[in-house]
Amino acid sequence: MSEKHLSGFPLSLDGPDRPMVSFRKVTKSYGSLTVLDSLDLDVAEGEMVTIIGPSGSGKTTVLRMLMTLESINGGVIYVDGEPLTHMPKGDHLVPANSRHVRQIRSKIGMCFQQFNLFPHMTALENCMEGPVHVLGMSKKDARERAEDLLAMVGMADKRDQHPSRLSGGQQQRVAIARALAMRPKVMLFDEVTSALDPEVIGEVTNVIRKLVSEYNLTMLMVTHQMGFAKDISDRICFFYGGKIEEQGSPDQLFSNPQKERTQQFLSAVKEAM
Amino acid sequence: MSYFEFLSQYGDRIISGTLVTIVLTVLAALLAMAIALAAGLMRMAPNALVRGVAVVYIEIFRGTSLLVQLYWIFFVLPLFGISLEKFTAGFVAVGMNLGAYGAELVRGAILSVPKGQWEASLALNMSPAKRMVRVILPQALLIMLPSWGNLLIELLKGTALVALIAVADLMFQVKQINGTTFLSAETFGTALVIYYIIARFMITPFMRWLERVMQRKLGRA
Amino acid sequence: MLDWRWDFTFDILPRLLVATGNTLMAAGFGYAIAVVLGLVFALAQRTPSRVLTVLVREIVEFIRSTPLVLQIFFVFYVGPQFGLRLSPWTAGMIAIGLHYAAYLSEVYRGGLDSVPKGQWEAATSLNLSTARTYFRVIIPQAMPPSLAGMGNYLVGILKDTPMLSVIGVAELMHTANAIGSETYRFLEPYTLVGIIFLALSLPTAAAIRIFESWLRKKLGMI
């Protein structure tokens, strides 16, 4: 990445109105295939933003880049005012070293489509691993926090079970508790209901509803559950071909989409339902 | 003595040892394949006695050391009236040992041929023998070929032990040269490189080639 | 034709049993070296350094493609040529430990590769360090699939210890050879050695299978 490209970016974002998450001209490509093309996206503190779009539109890549699971090829991502992918050196930004990445990354938590619980640890141990070994909490405090969170997601009675003994919905609820135990400011939900049987989707979406109403978390979600997205989002972004084709409040986007591609996508989704 | 002088003086013996090692490897490999096929099929026979014989054979040869088997065949077998000349005893021991491992490969490969193939050949009313030879074995062969590549390298390495009953293979020659010159790095080092070359640049490419040929024949390429 | 002598058998049995102790010790020490060094080999091939990866890969290939008995001779005799004298035990443990480290590194590699990518991603999302991720998340899950291979090589190292006799380590084979050359009787010592190996390796193999399923259960993987 050239220095010239980076000179136009601020070293940090300040002011009371600064976004919690900010993508600035972020580009991602695999070889000659461009997945995201100069993406600009701001998410305010406490905002719940849902990304929808056809497969291959780059929506999951947005979350994975924010979690640093994918590198970026251009632009800068800011989290809580500070650059995540870069760090200041003198008066310009340079690619971040791993220490910087770890420091900023600590503000972000993520839940995955396939849950990705650690299979050799119980539900409780899954939720204690990060607090004890990353945050340096005492086992007693970490256990208290994990038990509270497991109770919040309705999994208190299963805390000593290994993931293989839990249903998909139960595993996903534990995964949410595990991510929350790190006290992130930003939570990412990457198709968290896609691998679930229809009858248990509700138990996971209910937990997310609870988070929206009771916690002041900034959330980014990729989902195919349009009704759910409409209910709880502050804003919907429709992705198409690596760009935000259209965005707006749920009412606006679902009832009165302006762009043709948005209309096509929404009517195709409606037919499937 | 420079390494070049060392080679010019002892090169002949090293080459003759290498040739013996290659011949031993080929003979032992042929024997191992024959035994593997026989024992592997017997291991799956419906008759419990036939199965038992194969199991005992496989467990004994896999459960004890090649060196023990070699010494037993060379020193003890004559007491039963079966005297093998040392070269023969050498490749027979190696072949029988690796054949036991190969038998498990044969069995595993046959078991991993999809069940539908058995059912299809049954539906064509093939006899059990025909079914095995015409349908199952060709596919099993392709499945087990990669594992045989590793097994043949193990077999090559196994032949080095026959030096201990004084068969004049590569190992034996360098041991003798080392005994008179004490140039251990040169002698043993050269032998290590030669074994490596045989394994990596002869056996492995040969098996890859064989795999490609088999794949073409079975229409999988 | 065959005259098995029981009195002779009972005469030499104590000596062979003592030697069995040495065989077990050699296998145990050698295996301990191989288990640790094998992990080093496996992890070295997963570093970002391309040079290190290729170098270690080639070393592993070389060790795996050449005869252990030759490696034993090499380690034992090359040292003194450069003024470094190793005892038979030391040389033998180095050679057999290195040899099986190469094999075990391949087993570990397979085990490490079998851990789903999502586990790495989850560890990243919890901000776990690389070392922590390996030791708390990845290696515990790589263990059960590696166990069958590790067990095979434990039995393998046991069966390869007779090769240590060539440099004079007083294990079973060496002792049987000594008895043979003292008494000119080979039937009993060599047959007993074979039986002892069977008695060691068959139960070990069975025990490993039991241990493997127990561990899977304990780690909650089934």
Side-chain angles (χ1 to χ4, degrees):
Chain A
M1 205 178 303
S2 68
E3 295 290 326
K4 192 178 105 249
H5 194 87
L6 281 170
S7 56
F9 295 96
L11 297 186
S12 64
L13 307 178
D14 302 309
D17 294 337
R18 65 157 195 231
M20 178 55 76
V21 173
S22 181
F23 290 80
R24 301 271 172 107
K25 293 191 168 49
V26 173
T27 298
K28 173 74 187 173
S29 52
Y30 299 100
S32 61
L33 177 74
T34 302
V35 186
L36 284 174
D37 188 8
S38 195
L39 171 72
D40 284 309
L41 173 65
D42 282 359
V43 182
E45 184 168 1
E47 195 182 9
M48 167 59 141
V49 173
T50 297
I51 300 174
I52 61 171
S55 65
S57 60
K59 50 193 196 308
T60 285
T61 310
V62 173
L63 302 195
R64 292 176 59 81
M65 288 189 314
L66 189 50
M67 194 68 257
T68 69
L69 298 173
E70 307 269 0
S71 59
I72 65 175
N73 302 99
V76 179
I77 302 174
Y78 297 85
V79 174
D80 202 9
E82 291 178 89
L84 163 74
T85 50
H86 296 75
M87 58 185 188
K89 189 182 177 192
D91 57 355
H92 57 278
L93 292 174
V94 296
N97 62 23
S98 60
R99 206 168 134 240
H100 179 83
V101 168
R102 285 197 72 194
Q103 193 201 325
I104 307 300
R105 190 166 62 196
S106 67
K107 300 175 188 215
I108 310 169
M110 184 166 181
C111 295
F112 303 86
Q113 181 177 354
Q114 296 296 337
F115 334 128
N116 294 351
L117 288 178
F118 303 136
H120 55 302
M121 300 181 194
T122 63
L124 190 67
E125 286 165 347
N126 263 284
C127 297
M128 289 171 62
E129 181 66 20
V132 171
H133 295 293
V134 177
L135 305 180
M137 286 173 70
S138 72
K139 283 216 164 143
K140 186 175 155 289
D141 292 349
R143 167 181 278 268
E144 237 165 67
R145 180 186 285 188
E147 282 175 346
D148 286 350
L149 285 166
L150 284 173
M152 194 272 288
V153 300
M155 290 293 294
D157 55 329
K158 302 278 189 190
R159 63 180 188 192
D160 294 322
Q161 299 285 351
H162 282 97
S164 58
R165 303 262 174 234
L166 302 176
S167 72
Q170 292 173 327
Q171 289 191 54
Q172 196 59 286
R173 285 188 279 155
V174 173
I176 293 172
R178 177 176 74 172
L180 289 174
M182 300 299 284
R183 295 274 158 91
K185 293 189 163 183
V186 182
M187 272 291 281
L188 312 178
F189 296 98
D190 184 11
E191 303 196 22
V192 289
T193 55
S194 297
L196 299 178
D197 292 331
E199 71 272 20
V200 299
I201 287 177
E203 62 188 58
V204 172
T205 53
N206 282 340
V207 168
I208 298 176
R209 279 176 213 274
K210 205 164 162 185
L211 293 185
V212 171
S213 61
E214 292 174 17
Y215 289 67
N216 186 35
L217 277 166
T218 306
M219 294 191 245
L220 265 157
M221 177 166 82
V222 171
T223 188
H224 298 293
Q225 305 280 117
M226 293 304 154
F228 174 56
K230 192 176 170 186
D231 277 2
I232 66 157
S233 307
D234 297 313
R235 177 157 49 118
I236 310 274
C237 293
F238 173 67
F239 267 66
Y240 189 91
K243 287 188 156 148
I244 300 178
E245 179 81 7
E246 185 172 355
Q247 57 177 319
S249 71
D251 278 343
Q252 191 187 327
L253 198 105
F254 282 111
S255 339
N256 189 18
Q258 302 297 311
K259 298 275 183 76
E260 200 189 330
R261 281 184 180 133
T262 319
Q263 292 160 3
Q264 283 171 353
F265 176 75
L266 289 175
S267 66
V269 169
K270 228 171 261 162
E271 249 168 60
M273 279 160 57
Chain B
M1 187 188 276
S2 74
Y3 186 62
F4 183 74
E5 286 169 329
F6 166 80
L7 276 189
S8 63
Q9 193 166 343
Y10 297 105
D12 289 351
R13 283 169 69 183
I14 291 174
I15 289 171
S16 94
T18 304
L19 290 177
V20 172
T21 290
I22 291 174
V23 173
L24 271 170
T25 303
V26 171
L27 290 175
L30 292 175
L31 181 64
M33 287 179 221
I35 290 176
L37 189 59
L41 289 175
M42 283 167 67
R43 176 85 175 67
M44 307 175 75
N47 184 315
L49 185 69
V50 175
R51 227 169 35 234
V53 170
V55 169
V56 168
Y57 173 82
I58 292 168
E59 291 299 330
I60 285 182
F61 276 85
R62 280 163 38 110
T64 62
S65 313
L66 172 56
L67 190 56
V68 178
Q69 293 155 22
L70 178 69
Y71 280 12
W72 207 87
I73 287 173
F74 189 62
F75 291 108
V76 178
L77 218 48
L79 304 176
F80 292 81
I82 306 169
S83 283
L84 296 179
E85 186 264 330
K86 63 190 178 190
F87 181 87
T88 313
F91 83 77
V92 166
V94 176
M96 289 183 80
N97 178 271
L98 273 302
Y101 288 90
E104 292 293 277
L105 292 186
V106 170
R107 188 172 84 100
I110 289 175
L111 287 177
S112 59
V113 173
K115 211 168 142 238
Q117 296 294 313
W118 292 85
E119 291 168 356
S121 42
L122 190 85
L124 291 176
N125 208 13
M126 285 182 170
S127 70
K130 239 203 180 86
R131 189 167 65 201
M132 187 55 87
V133 174
R134 302 282 315 157
V135 180
I136 305 303
L137 270 185
Q139 300 184 55
L141 201 58
L142 195 60
I143 294 171
M144 65 181 158
L145 262 182
S147 316
W148 271 97
N150 287 331
L151 200 69
L152 287 186
I153 291 174
E154 291 303 315
L155 186 144
L156 165 73
K157 289 158 61 182
T159 62
L161 287 177
V162 303
L164 301 176
I165 57 169
V167 177
D169 74 333
L170 177 59
M171 174 78 220
F172 181 82
Q173 295 289 6
V174 294
K175 201 165 145 261
Q176 296 290 104
I177 300 169
N178 181 64
T180 53
T181 64
F182 301 106
L183 293 170
S184 306
E186 287 86 341
T187 53
F188 294 130
T190 306
L192 281 172
V193 171
I194 292 174
Y195 277 110
Y196 180 66
I197 289 171
I198 297 176
R200 195 78 189 280
F201 300 105
M202 291 168 76
I203 295 179
T204 304
F206 173 74
M207 293 306 288
R208 293 260 159 79
W209 171 82
L210 204 61
E211 248 174 86
R212 276 201 306 276
V213 171
M214 286 295 301
Q215 272 169 348
R216 240 194 331 264
K217 278 206 161 164
L218 291 180
R220 300 264 173 90
Chain C
M1 165 184 95
L2 189 59
D3 68 326
W4 179 279
R5 275 177 42 195
W6 284 103
D7 55 334
F8 179 65
T9 303
F10 288 115
D11 272 356
I12 63 172
L13 198 54
R15 243 177 111 182
L16 287 175
L17 288 179
V18 170
T20 305
N22 284 345
T23 288
L24 289 175
M25 204 157 73
F29 275 133
Y31 195 65
I33 295 171
V35 163
V36 177
L37 200 59
L39 192 57
V40 174
F41 283 170
L43 293 179
Q45 291 178 60
R46 294 171 73 92
T47 62
S49 162
R50 185 93 197 106
V51 179
L52 188 64
T53 303
V54 171
L55 185 73
V56 174
R57 173 94 242 114
E58 285 305 311
I59 292 173
V60 166
E61 276 301 316
F62 189 89
I63 295 176
R64 273 159 35 99
S65 310
T66 50
L68 173 57
V69 67
L70 184 55
Q71 292 166 3
I72 292 172
F73 275 119
F74 187 87
V75 173
F76 186 61
Y77 285 105
V78 170
Q81 198 180 348
F82 302 99
L84 177 73
R85 190 162 289 280
L86 298 176
S87 74
W89 267 95
T90 313
M93 290 305 95
I94 292 174
I96 214 165
L98 258 175
H99 193 82
Y100 276 90
Y103 278 100
L104 284 179
S105 76
E106 292 292 287
V107 173
Y108 295 145
R109 236 161 50 98
L112 291 171
D113 288 346
S114 74
V115 178
K117 223 175 105 230
Q119 294 292 309
W120 278 100
E121 296 183 347
T124 304
S125 79
L126 295 177
N127 226 356
L128 294 179
S129 67
T130 307
R132 258 247 90 83
T133 304
Y134 264 116
F135 286 105
R136 294 279 306 177
V137 178
I138 305 300
I139 292 178
Q141 293 182 63
M143 272 314 215
S146 302
L147 263 184
M150 288 179 75
N152 283 343
Y153 288 125
L154 174 60
V155 179
I157 208 167
L158 177 73
K159 286 183 297 186
D160 272 354
T161 52
M163 291 190 208
L164 296 171
S165 65
V166 298
I167 53 169
V169 173
E171 48 63 68
L172 262 175
M173 198 73 226
H174 189 265
T175 308
N177 285 342
I179 292 169
S181 57
E182 285 160 23
T183 62
Y184 300 103
R185 289 193 65 85
F186 297 101
L187 172 65
E188 294 87 350
Y190 286 151
T191 307
L192 284 173
V193 169
I195 291 170
I196 291 172
F197 269 110
L198 270 182
L200 292 176
S201 66
L202 293 185
T204 308
I208 288 161
R209 275 197 293 277
I210 294 167
F211 178 70
E212 197 192 343
S213 63
W214 172 82
L215 189 77
R216 272 179 200 279
K217 220 171 279 168
K218 182 164 188 292
L219 293 177
M221 314 257 290
I222 46 170

